[in-house]
């Protein structure tokens, strides 16, 4: 193997192992995936099934896939021992400390390249109580579309500081809103438009990003100031906000472009036009990029939006922008929800929280108990959340572990009105449908 330059060497990771591979075509692109699982589990076939669906969604979203071949390389570490400690029912403090020490230094994550991406995932076993987020496939899927979309930006659309990256004295670009924010925004939108996320799941994800993004220290520095100085304190502590506040910024920008152009033009059209104009070999001008972007976007008010909310420190105008895609935003909203039958304040019982907060065990049942719960019943929080979300007007199906057997209780539904910060609801069906479907 020969690399033409140091840059090319870094851009082409190699996975040398006994083969566990799979491949498929999506539109004009050959996708290959290769997995090294340190405990020997063969995973390529499972990964392929999931990735194929995600990549089909990407192909529907983009006018043309930007590469003719692409490789996903994944290494899966063996953390079943940690899964056993955490999800066995009675984790000891010593065990938890051991897990935290070990996992904190592991560096799970992913990195994008021009025609590949590399993943380090963890196998936490298949314990019944393991949160769904920790499944190996879920870890891969949470990152795969995002990493693939990096082929567009920053790899195909970037500033000189990235083009001629100085590995010894790096200068950072102010455009993290574009490189990470837009990329993460697209990753979620692609999965939603492609049917990989339901409307509720998509709105929950974006609401979560909105809430988390509000923690960005906007009073101390702006998003571009953070980006330029992201290697230094205190800016680097705010880096993770590129994935929440950055993605929300991209959402608001998309909404404004759609609003101006009656949904005939959206953010991806603008990004692809810029991608054609610049491309991997021609960096844009760092300082003039907001103007270059607005020239292509042809959206009145957008330059002011960047000046005030991305370069500046003003709060993001959620209501105004999201209205353009048919959503109503309220800083404090409320919704009617099925009452949590394990809430000791609302049911006649006592519960104990175990398993790092992930399980509730019924410790005492009084005469007024109304849900059918019994002494010793164990309920996983993820089951409780799913049951409340899926509850119909009259019943909720709640899975419970009762004397080591899983039974599903038919719990009568009682409702309450709960306050929710950053509440989003669909207010204009036509606009929301246009947003939800790729023309
Ligand atoms: Zn990224």
């Amino acid at each position: 193997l020969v690399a033409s330059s140091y840059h090319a060497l870094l851009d082409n990771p190699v996975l040398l192992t006994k083969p566990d591979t799979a491949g498929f075509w999506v539109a004009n692109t050959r996708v290959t995936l290769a997995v090294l699982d340190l405990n020997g589990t063969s995973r390529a076939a499972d990964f392929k099934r999931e990735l194929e669906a995600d990549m089909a969604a990407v192909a529907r979203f983009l006018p043309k896939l930007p590469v003719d071949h692409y490789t996903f390389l994944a290494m899966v570490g063996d953390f079943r021992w940690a899964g056993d400690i955490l999800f066995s029912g009675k984790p000891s403090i010593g065990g938890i400390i051991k897990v935290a020490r070990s996992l904190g230094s592991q560096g799970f994550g992913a990195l994008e390249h021009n025609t590949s991406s590399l993943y380090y995932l963890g196998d936490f076993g298949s314990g019944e109580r393991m949160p769904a987020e920790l499944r190996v496939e879920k870890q891969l899927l949470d990152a795969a579309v995002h990493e693939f979309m990096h082929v567009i930006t920053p790899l195909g659309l970037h500033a000189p500081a990235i083009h001629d990256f100085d590995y010894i004295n790096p200068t950072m670009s102010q455009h993290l809103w574009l490189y990470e924010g837009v990329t993460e925004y697209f990753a979620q939108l692609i999965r939603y438009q492609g049917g990989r996320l339901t409307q509720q799941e998509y709105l929950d994800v974006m609401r979560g990003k909105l809430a988390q993004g509000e923690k960005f220290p906007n009073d101390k520095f702006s998003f571009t100031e953070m980006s330029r100085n992201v290697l230094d304190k205190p800016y680097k502590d705010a880096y993770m906000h590129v994935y929440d506040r950055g993605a929300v910024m991209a959402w608001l920008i998309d909404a404004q472009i759609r609003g101006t152009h009656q949904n005939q033009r959206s953010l991806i059209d603008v990004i692809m036009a810029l991608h054609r104009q610049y491309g991997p070999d021609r960096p844009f001008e760092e300082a003039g990029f907001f103007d270059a972007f607005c020239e292509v976007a042809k959206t009145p008010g957008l330059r002011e939006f960047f000046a005030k909310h991305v370069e500046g420190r003003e709060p993001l105008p959620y209501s105004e922008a999201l209205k353009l895609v048919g959503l109503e935003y309220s800083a404090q909203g409320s919704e009617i929800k099925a009452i949590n039958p394990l809430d000791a304040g609302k049911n006649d019982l006592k519960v104990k929280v175990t398993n790092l907060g992930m399980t509730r065990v019924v410790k005492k049942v009084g005469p007024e108990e109304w849900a059918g719960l019994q002494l010793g019943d164990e309920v996983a929080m993820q089951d409780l959340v799913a049951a409340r979300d899926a509850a119909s007007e009259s019943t909720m199906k709640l899975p419970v572990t009762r004397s080591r057997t899983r039974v599903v209780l038919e719990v009568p539904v009682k409702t309450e009105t709960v306050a929710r910060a950053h509440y989003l609801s669909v207010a204009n069906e036509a606009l929301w449908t246009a947003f939800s479907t790729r023309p």
Side-chain angles (χ1 to χ4, degrees):
L1 288 171
V2 177
S4 57
S5 67
Y6 182 62
H7 214 70
L9 178 70
L10 291 191
D11 191 40
N12 287 280
V14 174
L15 180 63
L16 199 61
T17 176
K18 207 174 99 197
D20 176 21
T21 59
F24 57 91
W25 283 93
V26 52
N28 54 313
T29 304
R30 178 69 188 168
V31 178
T32 311
L33 65 115
V35 191
L36 162 60
D37 182 303
L38 293 179
N39 75 43
T41 309
S42 173
R43 298 192 178 270
D46 281 351
F47 282 7
K48 177 189 159 182
R49 196 173 42 244
E50 301 282 352
L51 276 178
E52 220 173 346
D54 267 4
M55 288 303 293
V58 174
R60 275 199 297 276
F61 185 76
L62 291 174
K64 182 177 183 289
L65 290 176
V67 285
D68 59 13
H69 66 280
Y70 194 86
T71 310
F72 291 94
L73 300 173
M75 184 166 106
V76 182
D78 188 354
F79 295 94
R80 289 173 299 178
W81 63 269
D84 286 346
I85 292 175
L86 295 180
F87 313 119
S88 63
K90 288 192 178 63
S92 66
I93 294 296
I96 293 167
I97 290 170
K98 188 176 159 207
V99 171
R101 275 216 186 108
S102 169
L103 299 190
S105 59
Q106 283 299 320
F108 292 116
L111 191 62
E112 78 274 16
H113 298 282
N114 272 292
T115 55
S116 63
S117 45
L118 183 67
Y119 301 79
Y120 179 38
L121 314 170
D123 178 0
F124 293 91
S126 50
E128 199 181 287
R129 298 163 202 241
M130 191 177 69
E133 278 65 43
L134 279 181
R135 280 178 48 238
V136 182
E137 291 81 7
K138 181 78 170 58
Q139 294 172 46
L140 176 72
L141 291 181
D142 278 345
V145 175
H146 176 106
E147 299 308 326
F148 182 83
M149 287 302 287
H150 272 318
V151 175
I152 311 286
T153 186
L155 297 166
L157 184 62
H158 52 238
I162 292 182
H163 195 70
D164 298 307
F165 191 74
D166 184 337
Y167 290 95
I168 297 165
N169 297 304
T171 346
M172 304 311 284
S173 165
Q174 67 180 329
H175 297 294
L176 278 177
W177 69 274
L178 170 72
Y179 312 136
E180 292 299 342
V182 168
T183 300
E184 175 59 15
Y185 168 67
F186 281 155
Q188 302 300 338
L189 182 61
I190 286 168
R191 301 195 75 220
Y192 171 48
Q193 289 187 345
R196 301 283 285 158
L197 296 177
T198 63
Q199 172 177 308
Q200 193 57 50
E201 286 167 335
Y202 179 72
L203 287 176
D204 283 348
V205 167
M206 295 311 289
R207 196 200 76 85
K209 288 184 186 299
L210 215 148
Q212 192 60 27
E214 276 295 301
K215 296 180 189 156
F216 181 82
N218 221 23
D219 51 333
K220 298 200 180 69
F221 45 81
S222 74
F223 216 73
T224 48
E225 288 171 274
M226 180 272 286
S227 304
R228 269 198 303 275
N229 301 293
V230 74
L231 301 178
D232 308 316
K233 270 193 171 249
Y235 308 95
K236 70 174 175 190
D237 298 334
Y239 171 74
M240 291 307 277
H241 288 298
V242 299
Y243 303 109
D244 44 69
R245 193 175 182 86
V248 171
M249 284 173 170
W251 199 15
L252 305 188
I253 294 164
D254 195 12
Q256 292 172 72
I257 298 171
R258 287 167 183 271
T260 300
H261 300 272
Q262 279 85 45
N263 273 305
Q264 296 308 300
R265 193 170 167 76
S266 71
L267 179 59
I268 185 62
D269 303 311
V270 174
I271 294 288
M272 291 316 289
L274 289 162
H275 186 258
R276 281 191 296 276
Q277 191 179 329
Y278 292 97
D281 303 319
R282 202 181 143 222
F284 55 67
E285 199 212 316
E286 169 80 19
F289 184 66
F290 286 119
D291 293 324
F293 184 97
C294 291
E295 201 164 299
V296 175
K298 294 189 178 38
T299 298
L302 195 54
R303 187 62 188 91
E304 291 71 31
F305 175 88
F306 282 122
K308 282 186 190 165
H309 309 288
V310 184
E311 300 172 278
R313 302 178 185 185
E314 291 186 32
L316 290 171
Y318 304 118
S319 305
E320 216 180 311
L322 292 177
K323 206 190 307 167
L324 301 167
V325 292
L327 289 180
E328 187 174 297
Y329 165 84
S330 40
Q332 278 306 332
S334 63
E335 69 184 320
I336 294 170
K337 232 188 146 172
I339 288 181
N340 172 6
L342 287 133
D343 184 337
K346 288 162 186 155
N347 195 359
D348 189 12
L349 41 66
K350 286 218 164 66
V351 295
K352 193 176 147 209
V353 179
T354 63
N355 201 18
L356 291 175
M358 286 180 286
T359 308
R360 300 285 183 273
V361 183
V362 178
K363 286 291 171 194
K364 215 172 167 183
V365 176
E368 304 293 311
E369 200 289 327
W370 51 265
L373 287 156
Q374 295 176 9
L375 191 66
D377 282 354
E378 289 184 32
V379 180
M381 280 310 284
Q382 63 188 95
D383 289 338
L384 178 63
V385 170
R388 287 176 78 195
D389 285 343
S392 71
E393 266 169 39
S394 56
T395 50
M396 179 198 310
K397 290 187 185 331
L398 180 66
V400 166
T401 306
R402 181 172 288 173
S403 347
R404 296 208 188 85
T405 327
R406 205 170 151 87
V407 293
V408 178
L409 297 187
E410 297 263 345
V411 178
V413 165
K414 295 189 180 189
T415 57
E416 64 184 338
T417 306
V418 290
R420 272 197 108 173
H422 309 295
Y423 191 64
L424 295 171
S425 59
V426 178
N428 180 322
E429 283 290 344
L431 286 178
W432 179 249
T433 305
F435 174 81
S436 307
T437 15
R438 176 88 181 125

